[in-house]
Amino acid sequence: MLSEHSSVTIVTNGLRRLKGISNKLACFGVPIHGANAETHEFLNQSNGSFQKTLATIRHYLIEGHDVRCIPVLTGYNYDQMYNIIGIAASLGMESIYVDRYEDGGIGAVNSRGYRLKPTREQFHIAVGQIIQAKHDFTVLGWRVGFGTAIPYCLDERMIIEGITSNCGVGTYFCAINPKGEFRMCNQSQLVFGTLPNEPIEAIWNKPTLDIFRDLSWVSEPCKSCELLLDCTGGCKVDSNCSNKFCIDYAVRGLSKPVAELVAKVQHRKPTEMNPASYRIFRPNRYMRITTRYPEKFLVTRYQTVKLDETALEMAQAIQSEAVINEQALVARFIERIEEHETRLFVSKMLQVNALDLIGEVHHAAP
């Protein structure tokens, strides 16, 4: 049985309509791969699937489930991102997060002979359309962006618009397939153990995982980049790479990011994320804090975020209250944390859906 705070998501192509699903499910993840039947059905190789998928999405929404749109960006649909997001918005889907195609796992086997990897120019076009859709389709509440790790240096607009996505494989994320095989992510073919033969804690702490965690496999331009620990070098799994791990295919052979991009990531002005008025909010029902391990984590509906000591204390203070006035939170920590830093923390908590925004009060102090 699912708990009230369950973050379990069912990812499905929508061709089969599942019945009797608990209303405690976090959401369904259903891809719309094209703005029309031709593109969608070419990419999933199933005739008639476009209308079937749309009908399934409508059915789940009528049943009261949240449904997230998760299209895969390829060299075939890169110029349809705006219209795909428009379809998702018109259907009433909860959010849309785009996964860029990667040569890993099943995809690498099935994609031979097809131009599935988007070129850099195609990627830039897609980013522009995603940003425009984010601003135009306000019904989505800005819940639009990327769902897979993309190197920051590919397009600085991702930083400016806040649509980046990082990858926590091997550090705070893993994948377990139906066979119980423990892997670092869905794409990776390396198996580090099998459940239930071994406890997940034992597998997670195996020294063999250090072959990834020590970053010895990272090559240039990422190896000496100041943003490595933040950006993480994009997707690390590529069936065409000779090593077990490698930096993202799109940045191999490029130069390091220019200083201006590094500055934009490291020194974003807090006011860019903080509104003029104080906010009133409450913990989202999916928000949980995990403290059983040496590293402390914030668990939300779709994400797991590592917390430092200060962030943990602030998150626990928020979690202990039913409704929180941002001004009161600022006052509580003002002797140790500057106001703009506390407000920036609230903004980031809202960004990862750890909080529900209820309203705003009087203007904040300058």
Side-chain angles (χ1 to χ4, degrees):
M1 295 180 64
L2 299 177
S3 73
E4 292 290 341
H5 305 288
S6 170
S7 57
V8 172
T9 298
I10 294 178
V11 177
T12 170
N13 58 18
L15 296 185
R16 291 187 179 183
R17 192 172 297 178
L18 303 178
K19 299 179 180 179
I21 301 300
S22 169
N23 59 8
K24 296 176 183 177
L25 182 76
C27 80
F28 282 98
V30 185
I32 301 175
H33 291 309
N36 52 60
E38 180 182 3
T39 304
H40 180 87
E41 293 172 12
F42 167 76
L43 288 171
N44 73 1
Q45 296 290 288
S46 178
N47 293 333
S49 62
F50 185 64
Q51 290 301 328
K52 286 182 181 178
T53 295
L54 297 185
T56 297
I57 291 170
R58 294 188 187 99
H59 173 77
Y60 290 149
L61 290 169
I62 290 172
E63 286 195 332
H65 294 291
D66 282 342
V67 185
R68 165 179 282 196
C69 185
I70 49 172
V72 176
L73 167 61
T74 72
Y76 289 91
N77 64 359
Y78 68 92
D79 57 352
Q80 297 181 29
M81 290 296 112
Y82 183 89
N83 290 332
I84 290 172
I85 296 172
I87 292 172
S90 67
L91 288 170
M93 300 183 80
E94 180 265 342
S95 58
I96 179 163
Y97 287 93
V98 180
D99 294 338
R100 186 191 54 164
Y101 172 78
E102 305 288 348
D103 266 342
I106 297 174
V109 177
N110 294 344
S111 65
R112 294 191 180 101
Y114 295 104
R115 298 176 288 103
L116 293 182
K117 280 185 180 179
T119 65
R120 290 201 69 181
E121 180 58 31
Q122 290 171 342
F123 181 75
H124 291 323
I125 292 172
V127 169
Q129 291 199 4
I130 291 169
I131 291 171
Q132 189 62 52
K134 176 185 174 183
H135 289 276
D136 288 351
F137 301 114
T138 55
V139 67
L140 291 168
W142 287 47
R143 293 184 297 274
V144 177
F146 283 102
T148 48
I150 309 288
Y152 293 173
C153 57
L154 290 189
D155 196 316
E156 68 176 36
R157 292 175 297 172
M158 296 189 299
I159 302 297
I160 297 169
E161 292 289 337
I163 60 172
T164 58
S165 178
N166 292 332
C167 180
V169 296
T171 55
Y172 58 82
F173 176 85
C174 70
I176 300 170
N177 69 10
K179 297 179 181 178
E181 295 174 339
F182 179 106
R183 297 174 294 160
M184 290 196 311
C185 78
N186 301 322
Q187 299 277 46
S188 175
Q189 298 302 298
L190 285 178
V191 177
F192 293 91
T194 305
L195 280 73
N197 299 339
E198 300 174 82
I200 191 169
E201 292 89 350
I203 301 174
W204 184 255
N205 291 303
K206 282 184 176 181
T208 50
L209 273 165
D210 290 339
I211 63 174
F212 171 78
R213 292 169 176 161
D214 64 12
L215 300 180
S216 60
W217 52 271
V218 178
S219 59
E220 296 294 356
C222 299
K223 186 174 183 178
S224 59
C225 178
E226 295 178 59
L227 301 178
L228 175 60
L229 296 181
D230 191 3
C231 167
T232 70
C235 182
K236 301 147 191 70
V237 179
D238 186 340
S239 64
N240 300 310
C241 190
S242 58
N243 297 318
K244 294 176 180 177
F245 313 107
C246 51
I247 61 172
D248 195 282
Y249 72 86
V251 295
R252 294 174 210 157
L254 299 182
S255 58
K256 287 195 300 182
V258 295
E260 288 80 3
L261 177 61
V262 175
K264 284 180 180 178
V265 175
Q266 295 180 339
H267 305 294
R268 287 187 68 191
K269 295 180 180 179
T271 53
E272 290 179 357
M273 298 183 69
N274 297 334
S277 299
Y278 289 114
R279 292 159 288 191
I280 300 174
F281 49 87
R282 62 184 168 221
N284 182 273
R285 76 182 182 96
Y286 296 101
M287 175 186 169
R288 289 182 290 123
I289 298 173
T290 299
T291 58
R292 61 182 296 187
Y293 305 107
E295 300 91 352
K296 314 305 177 186
F297 298 101
L298 170 73
V299 181
T300 69
R301 191 180 195 180
Y302 304 118
Q303 300 184 50
T304 300
V305 181
K306 187 176 180 180
L307 300 173
D308 61 23
E309 186 175 334
T310 302
L312 173 64
E313 184 179 355
M314 295 177 71
Q316 289 174 327
I318 290 172
Q319 192 180 44
S320 66
E321 302 290 337
V323 177
I324 302 96
N325 184 316
E326 185 178 22
Q327 188 175 17
L329 186 69
V330 168
R332 178 170 178 172
F333 290 94
I334 194 63
E335 292 186 3
R336 293 183 291 127
I337 306 171
E338 294 184 14
E339 176 172 338
H340 69 80
E341 291 293 340
T342 299
R343 301 197 71 216
L344 181 59
F345 178 76
V346 171
S347 295
K348 290 180 177 179
M349 291 281 280
L350 286 164
Q351 191 176 42
V352 299
N353 297 318
L355 306 176
D356 295 330
L357 183 64
I358 299 174
E360 296 182 345
V361 289
H362 63 79
H363 287 289

